[in-house]
């Protein structure tokens, strides 16, 4: 389960990285620190469990049952190795032993113990120890405080290690009081390792997917942009701008806007708080999501300034921009912004003279280090006109 936690942490962290790339600024900002924390905690406890999980801590009832059943013997310590881990300043050591049961054939096994510093001299290689054999046909043993040369242990001779067969390691999971083995929820056998790896990968992917899910539109746009040789989506282009406007309309709740500013990275959208209202709020589309920024800093003079965005041909704007770039002989459009609002009424005889209640116009500002150009066209991408340059 600790490895599952680690996989979840890795997935959350990776999901946070993806969300930061494809989503708006601050997208899933919680995910990277949370994922890093879970990963570090998971790995730390996995390493601790890998060391401490093999430490021999047999239940007293198992040891007593072994004594009563006569499952005792003498073991010779063949090697003593420190693992490099300490618990309460006491070293954790691995012992390899040759065991001669009172009844049965000798075998080799290994044991991991927390060894007190004052006990180290008594468990050096070549030392004999009385042992309890905790279960039939299993290599698990427990060291006993008894004298290995007297009482029921007298006369038991431990053969050389090379005559006791291969080294047998206790399986994962401790022994229950009845001698049966506790098994983990996930098998730790080598044969099942590929399946475990697949499970961890699937868990990580699922965790990452949950983090990225709110930003799936931005992810889709980024993938599409990469397939076209671009690092990220350019929201001015016909492949993305209509979807951005649709998302804004759904979030605002009606199709009317006061003004729209389109940049490569975001769409700045000013719209009435309700259909036909004069009071207006600002909404920003970025990274596939819509953010509500509250009241606009400049409120419209009247509700007549709003226009239905559904009447604008948003797919025609990018081709119009490309045509403007050719007229201006400009290749780099990275700093070009597009704005839409109603034109001023220029008829002095009109009651709406100089008010922004005329037809919808699209304004294109193409800036270069040496020259700035301004173009206008209608909401359907037609009537492209260069209005000025400087």
């Amino acid at each position: 389960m600790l490895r599952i936690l680690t996989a979840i942490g890795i997935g959350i962290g990776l999901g946070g990285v993806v969300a930061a790339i494809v989503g708006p600024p601050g997208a899933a900002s919680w995910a990277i620190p949370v994922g890093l924390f879970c990963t570090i905690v998971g790995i730390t406890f996995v390493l601790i469990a890998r060391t401490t999980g093999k430490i021999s801590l047999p239940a007293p009832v198992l040891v007593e049952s072994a004594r009563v059943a006569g499952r005792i013997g003498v073991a010779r310590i063949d090697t003593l190795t420190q693992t490099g881990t300490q618990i309460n300043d006491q070293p954790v050591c691995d012992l390899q032993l040759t065991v001669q049961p009172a009844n049965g054939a000798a075998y080799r096994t290994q044991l991991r113990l927390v060894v007190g510093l004052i006990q180290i001299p008594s468990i050096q290689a070549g030392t004999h120890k009385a042992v309890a054999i905790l279960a039939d046909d299993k290599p698990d043993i427990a060291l006993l405080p008894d004298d290995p040369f007297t009482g029921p242990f007298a006369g038991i001779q431990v053969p050389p290690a090379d005559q006791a067969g291969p080294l047998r390691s206790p399986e994962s999971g401790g022994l229950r009081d009845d001698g049966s083995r506790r098994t983990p929820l996930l098998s730790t056998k080598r044969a099942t390792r590929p399946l475990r790896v697949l499970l961890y990968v699937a868990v990580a992917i699922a965790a990452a997917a949950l983090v990225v899910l709110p930003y799936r539109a931005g992810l889709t746009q980024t993938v599409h942009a990469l397939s076209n040789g671009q690092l990220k989506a350019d929201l001015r282009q016909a492949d993305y701008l209509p979807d951005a406007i649709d998302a804004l309309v759904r979030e605002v709740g009606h199709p009317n806007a006061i003004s729209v500013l389109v940049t490569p990275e975001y769409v700045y959208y000013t719209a009435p708080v309700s259909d036909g209202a004069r009071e207006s709020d600002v909404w920003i589309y970025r990274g596939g999501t819509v953010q509500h920024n509250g009241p606009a800093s400049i409120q419209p003079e009247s509700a007549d300034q709003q226009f239905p965005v559904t009447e604008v041909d948003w797919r025609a704007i990018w081709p119009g921009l490309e045509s403007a770039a050719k007229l201006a002989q400009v290749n780099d459009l990275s700093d070009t912004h597009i704005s839409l609002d109603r034109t001023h009424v220029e008829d002095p005889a009109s009651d709406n003279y100089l008010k922004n209640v005329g037809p919808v116009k699209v304004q294109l500002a193409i800036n270069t280090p040496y020259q700035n150009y301004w173009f206008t066209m209608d909401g359907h991408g037609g009537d492209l006109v260069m209005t000025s340059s400087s």
Side-chain angles (χ1 to χ4, degrees), residues 8-60:
I8 291 174
I10 292 172
I12 290 175
L14 291 177
V17 171
V18 173
I21 294 173
V22 306
S29 57
W30 59 271
I32 294 177
V34 169
L36 186 62
F37 173 79
C38 291
T39 301
I40 292 174
V41 170
I43 291 176
T44 300
F45 278 98
V46 165
L47 295 176
I48 292 174
R50 182 176 294 177
T51 298
T52 60
K54 296 180 180 179
I55 293 176
S56 178
L57 295 170

Side-chain angles (χ1 to χ4, degrees), residues 19 31 36 92 132 183 213 245 281 283 287 294-295 315 318 372 376:
L36 186 62
V92 178
T183 56
L213 185 62
I245 298 301
D281 282 359
W283 307 75
R315 293 186 177 277
W318 177 253
N372 298 323
T376 62

Side-chain angles (χ1 to χ4, degrees), residues 164-176:
L167 183 68
R168 299 171 60 192
S169 300
E171 297 177 8
S172 300
L175 295 174
R176 299 186 180 90

Side-chain angles (χ1 to χ4, degrees), residues 221 233-237 240-241 262-267 285:
Q221 291 174 356
D234 185 338
L235 294 181
R236 301 169 302 177
Q237 295 179 356
Y240 312 108
L241 184 54
V262 184
T263 75
E265 295 83 18
Y266 63 87
V267 177
Y285 179 92

Side-chain angles (χ1 to χ4, degrees), residues 21-327:
I21 294 173
V22 306
S29 57
W30 59 271
I32 294 177
V34 169
L36 186 62
F37 173 79
C38 291
T39 301
I40 292 174
V41 170
I43 291 176
T44 300
F45 278 98
V46 165
L47 295 176
I48 292 174
R50 182 176 294 177
T51 298
T52 60
K54 296 180 180 179
I55 293 176
S56 178
L57 295 170
V61 66
L62 275 174
V63 177
E64 186 59 31
S65 296
R67 284 183 181 272
V68 171
R71 294 195 306 273
I72 58 174
V74 176
R76 183 187 60 249
I77 299 173
D78 295 324
T79 64
L80 169 66
T81 306
Q82 291 194 30
T83 64
T85 301
Q86 292 188 341
I87 297 178
N88 294 331
D89 296 325
Q90 308 298 317
V92 178
C93 299
D94 283 334
L95 285 68
Q96 290 188 5
L97 312 97
T98 301
V99 180
Q100 176 60 65
N103 300 292
Y107 61 91
R108 297 174 61 215
T109 187
Q110 58 185 12
L111 193 64
R112 178 167 290 181
L113 294 174
V114 179
V115 180
L117 294 177
I118 61 174
Q119 297 176 306
I120 290 180
S122 66
I123 59 169
Q124 294 300 309
T127 303
H128 288 71
K129 291 290 184 180
V131 296
I133 300 168
L134 300 178
D136 290 325
D137 300 322
K138 291 183 175 65
D140 302 74
I141 63 171
L143 300 185
L144 299 176
D146 305 58
D147 187 337
F149 303 109
T150 61
F153 305 96
I156 299 178
Q157 297 294 321
V158 182
D162 58 6
Q163 297 179 15
L167 183 68
R168 299 171 60 192
S169 300
E171 297 177 8
S172 300
L175 295 174
R176 299 186 180 90
D177 291 349
D178 61 0
S180 61
R181 181 79 62 186
R182 295 187 181 91
T183 56
L185 292 177
L186 293 177
S187 172
T188 57
K189 294 181 179 179
R190 184 181 299 272
T192 61
R193 180 177 295 176
L195 294 178
R196 294 199 304 275
V197 171
L198 287 176
L199 174 62
Y200 301 147
V201 171
V203 169
I205 292 174
L210 289 175
V211 174
V212 178
L213 185 62
Y215 313 102
R216 58 189 178 277
L219 177 61
T220 301
Q221 291 174 356
T222 302
V223 171
H224 185 272
L226 290 172
S227 68
N228 291 331
Q230 299 173 310
L231 292 178
K232 57 182 179 179
D234 185 338
L235 294 181
R236 301 169 302 177
Q237 295 179 356
D239 288 339
Y240 312 108
L241 184 54
D243 292 338
I245 298 301
D246 288 343
L248 285 160
V249 169
R250 287 194 301 271
E251 194 71 22
V252 172
H254 60 79
N256 292 333
I258 300 296
S259 64
V260 182
L261 174 65
V262 184
T263 75
E265 295 83 18
Y266 63 87
V267 177
Y268 191 91
Y269 190 90
T270 305
V273 294
S274 60
D275 190 8
R278 183 184 68 83
E279 297 80 7
S280 299
D281 282 359
V282 171
W283 307 75
I284 297 178
Y285 179 92
R286 187 187 337 234
T289 63
V290 177
Q291 176 184 348
H292 185 194
N293 277 28
S297 58
I298 300 177
Q299 294 289 320
E301 296 178 359
S302 71
D304 293 336
Q305 290 181 228
Q306 59 191 264
F307 62 92
V309 296
T310 51
E311 295 183 4
V312 176
D313 186 356
W314 296 99
R315 293 186 177 277
I317 290 179
W318 177 253
L321 178 58
E322 291 181 316
S323 298
K326 289 180 180 179
L327 291 175

Side-chain angles (χ1 to χ4, degrees), residues 311-357:
E311 295 183 4
V312 176
D313 186 356
W314 296 99
R315 293 186 177 277
I317 290 179
W318 177 253
L321 178 58
E322 291 181 316
S323 298
K326 289 180 180 179
L327 291 175
Q329 298 183 345
V330 173
N331 294 322
D332 184 8
L333 296 177
S334 58
D335 292 331
T336 301
H337 295 176
I338 303 165
S339 61
L340 290 88
D341 56 14
R342 287 193 178 276
T343 57
H344 288 85
V345 175
E346 298 180 355
D347 182 3
S350 173
D351 293 338
N352 294 319
Y353 179 57
L354 296 182
K355 293 182 179 180
N356 288 15
V357 295

